[in-house]
Amino acid sequence: MSPLVFLAIPVAVFVIGSTVLWLGSRWRQGSDFSLQRVPDDLRTVAPMLRDQRQTGWQSGVDDRSVRS
């Protein structure tokens, strides 16, 4: 078998898989599970993550007494 066939197989799988994923995302845009709902979800999650980061365990980066 030609070495080009071994190169063509992964390329064909990539093209077919990418096309299927792209068509699936276009088909799903009309349903309730769309990318337009992401900002609403982020508005509820972002303050919680900010609060967790502010109250989290201090890493001691500002502590200059520790030698490295």
Side-chain angles (χ1 to χ4, degrees), residues 2-3 16 21 28 32-33 36 53 58 67-68:
S2 171
I16 292 170
L21 289 174
R28 253 192 285 168
D32 190 49
F33 184 72
Q36 295 170 353
R53 185 181 67 229
Q58 298 297 323
R67 295 185 183 187
S68 55

Side-chain angles (χ1 to χ4, degrees), residues 52-66:
Q52 286 179 353
R53 185 181 67 229
Q54 289 174 352
T55 61
W57 184 27
Q58 298 297 323
S59 63
V61 173
D62 293 334
D63 189 8
R64 304 219 182 241
S65 65
V66 178

Side-chain angles (χ1 to χ4, degrees), residues 3-28:
L4 291 177
V5 173
F6 289 109
L7 179 63
I9 291 171
V11 170
V13 169
F14 174 75
V15 169
I16 292 170
S18 298
T19 303
V20 168
L21 289 174
W22 180 74
L23 288 174
S25 70
R26 300 299 263 166
W27 177 70
R28 253 192 285 168

Side-chain angles (χ1 to χ4, degrees), residues 33-56:
F33 184 72
S34 68
L35 295 175
Q36 295 170 353
R37 291 180 51 104
V38 171
D40 293 337
D41 295 340
L42 287 177
R43 280 191 207 105
T44 59
V45 173
M48 180 180 61
L49 293 177
R50 184 191 62 225
D51 294 342
Q52 286 179 353
R53 185 181 67 229
Q54 289 174 352
T55 61

